[in-house]
C-alpha cells in the first residue's frame, strides 16, 4: 500500500486503476503493490543493471495473472525481441502504465482505440520510424500472433503438409 513509503504519486495512480477497482469490489487476487513488487526485496534502481533487470521483468510482474497476453506478446518487432532480452523493446508497462492500468474501453486508457496511435507514436516517432497512422494500424498485431498466424494462408497450407508448422 502507499503507506509503506512515500510513493504518493504511484499510490494515486494505482487508486484509479482497474486493479484497485477489483480489490475494492472484493477481488483480492487483483494486483496490489506487493503482488507486483514483492515485499522488502524490491531492487533499488540506482544502477543501470538494476534498471535493465526491472525492464526485463514483465513476465514475473505481469504474466502470472495475464498469461494469455504474455503468450501472445510475440510479434516480431516487440514481444519476440523483448523475450530475447532486447532492452529497447517495450516492456508491458511501456504501453500499459505500471500503476494506472485502465480497462481498454476506458476513455483515458492508453490502449483504448482512440488513444492507441498516440501511445505507439510515443516511441515510434521518437525513433523517426512511424507516425500515429502507422501505429494505429500496427497496434492491432500486438497480442494477436496466434490469431494472425492461423489466418495466414501460408501457415494454413503448411499445416496440410505432414510435419509442417
Amino acid at each position: 500500500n502507499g503507506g509503506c513509503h512515500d510513493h504518493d504519486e504511484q499510490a494515486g495512480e494505482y487508486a484509479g486503476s482497474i486493479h484497485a477497482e477489483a480489490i475494492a469490489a472484493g477481488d483480492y487476487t487483483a494486483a496490489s503493490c506487493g503482488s507486483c513488487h514483492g515485499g522488502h526485496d524490491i531492487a533499488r534502481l540506482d544502477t543501470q543493471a538494476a534498471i535493465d533487470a526491472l525492464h526485463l521483468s514483465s513476465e514475473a510482474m505481469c504474466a502470472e495473472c495475464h498469461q494469455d497476453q504474455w503468450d501472445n506478446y510475440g510479434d516480431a518487432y516487440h514481444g519476440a525481441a523483448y523475450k530475447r532480452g532486447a532492452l529497447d523493446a517495450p516492456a508491458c508497462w511501456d504501453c500499459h502504465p505500471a500503476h494506472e492500468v485502465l480497462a481498454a474501453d476506458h476513455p483515458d486508457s492508453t490502449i483504448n482505440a482512440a488513444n492507441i496511435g498516440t501511445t505507439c507514436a510515443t516511441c515510434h516517432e521518437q525513433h523517426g520510424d512511424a507516425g500515429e497512422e502507422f501505429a494505429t494500424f500496427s497496434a492491432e498485431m500486438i497480442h494477436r500472433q496466434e490469431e494472425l498466424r492461423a489466418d495466414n494462408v501460408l501457415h494454413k497450407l503448411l499445416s496440410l503438409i505432414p510435419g509442417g508448422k
Side-chain angles (χ1 to χ4, degrees), residues 5 7 11 18-19 49 51 66 80-81 92 101 103 110 120 123 132 148-149 156-157 163:
H5 300 284
H7 297 299
I18 194 169
H19 295 130
I51 292 167
H66 301 285
C92 297
V101 177
T110 56
C120 297
C123 291
E132 189 170 333
L148 293 170
R149 194 171 286 120
K156 287 179 182 179
L157 291 173

Side-chain angles (χ1 to χ4, degrees), residues 76-114:
Y77 302 105
H78 297 102
Y82 180 83
K83 289 178 179 184
R84 284 192 313 270
L87 294 172
D88 60 344
C92 297
W93 47 85
D94 287 320
C95 302
H96 312 270
H99 301 105
E100 190 180 19
V101 177
L102 302 172
D105 61 355
H106 188 287
D108 295 331
S109 171
T110 56
I111 60 165
N112 181 292

Side-chain angles (χ1 to χ4, degrees), residues 42-81:
I42 298 171
R44 294 178 57 93
L45 298 178
D46 56 356
T47 66
Q48 189 60 48
I51 292 167
D52 293 348
L54 174 66
H55 178 76
L56 295 174
S57 67
S58 283
E59 183 173 19
M61 293 268 201
C62 306
E64 185 173 320
C65 297
H66 301 285
Q67 190 65 51
D68 288 345
Q69 290 84 353
W70 174 256
D71 290 346
N72 280 300
Y73 185 45
D75 66 299
Y77 302 105
H78 297 102

